[in-house]
Amino acid sequence: MLIGLLLGIVVAVGLVYGNRPLRFLLCLYVWFFRGVPVLVLLFLFYFGLFTYLNLPFNALISVSLVLGMTTGAYQANIFKGAILALPRGQFKAACALGMSNAQAIRSVILPQALRLSIPAWSNEYSIILKDSALAFVIGAPEIMARTQFVASRTYQHLSLYLIAGLLYFFLTWLGVAALRRLERRARIPGYTHYDTQ
């Protein structure tokens, strides 16, 4: 999620404020990682690109990079939408006060856009957490891999997979609840549904 957050912010800023060639390249990145299934990406990078480039990444690092780049593409669209939801005059006003474009984006636009992105970001958190279960197909040591390892030796498949499902459910619930609390604390008056209730 952290890799995706950093990538998403940079890509979103580039999509909104970048020149045409940069926007085209960033659109290709978003299109590719949103259009190809995560399982295919895992095989493509772990057994393909990383091996071809002779990069000594183990399964866990490979999965983290692939999931990070995948969620980065989704988060880029989340942050782009949040940036475009802000009044355009704010950027112009910041520049009129003497800020550079980078300062205006960093100090005025992004703090508001990130706050507006929290609800959609919490949804992306739950999706990428569940997608991480696919990591067991390349041998990454995560919940499903450990469950499969123990189940193949104890033959307690039903109970073990039920526990694994409950673990994913608990982690999803915990993260979404924390993000909802953050959303309430960081909300901008007039921009959220809390202000209409």
Side-chain angles (χ1 to χ4, degrees):
M1 283 301 289
L2 179 59
I3 294 170
L5 175 64
L6 298 175
L7 271 176
I9 291 172
V10 171
V11 172
V13 169
L15 288 171
V16 176
Y17 298 107
N19 55 32
R20 182 173 292 181
L22 177 61
R23 290 199 308 268
F24 175 75
L25 291 174
L26 294 176
C27 283
L28 279 180
Y29 159 74
V30 172
W31 172 80
F32 178 76
F33 279 95
R34 292 184 67 194
V36 180
V38 174
L39 185 60
V40 176
L41 290 171
L42 287 172
F43 281 100
L44 178 65
F45 279 82
Y46 184 64
F47 294 112
L49 185 62
F50 295 157
T51 303
Y52 178 77
L53 296 176
N54 200 24
L55 297 174
F57 294 154
N58 61 28
L60 186 59
I61 293 174
S62 299
V63 166
S64 300
L65 290 174
V66 170
L67 291 180
M69 290 185 288
T70 302
T71 189
Y74 285 95
Q75 289 185 52
N77 275 349
I78 292 171
F79 299 139
K80 176 187 172 185
I83 291 171
L84 294 176
L86 297 171
R88 292 185 178 181
Q90 292 195 16
F91 181 77
K92 294 178 180 178
C95 292
L97 290 173
M99 290 185 178
S100 66
N101 289 351
Q103 288 174 326
I105 292 169
R106 185 179 65 247
S107 302
V108 177
I109 302 301
L110 283 181
Q112 297 178 82
L114 292 176
R115 290 177 180 181
L116 295 177
S117 301
I118 295 174
W121 199 74
S122 65
N123 187 48
E124 181 59 23
Y125 161 80
S126 64
I127 291 170
I128 203 67
L129 177 67
K130 289 180 283 188
D131 282 349
S132 70
L134 295 172
F136 90 97
V137 299
I138 63 170
E142 50 77 62
I143 294 173
M144 280 302 297
R146 301 310 300 165
T147 303
Q148 173 72 17
F149 177 80
V150 176
S152 66
R153 283 154 177 76
T154 63
Y155 302 103
Q156 302 295 321
H157 297 282
L158 178 61
S159 58
L160 288 170
Y161 288 125
L162 180 61
I163 291 170
L166 290 173
L167 278 173
Y168 280 111
F169 175 81
F170 175 73
L171 291 172
T172 301
W173 174 82
L174 191 65
V176 171
L179 288 168
R180 282 183 181 166
R181 184 173 180 182
L182 177 63
E183 179 191 0
R184 292 190 189 97
R185 294 189 63 180
R187 71 181 182 269
I188 303 171
Y191 280 96
T192 62
H193 66 86
Y194 296 111
D195 303 297
T196 61
Q197 295 177 346

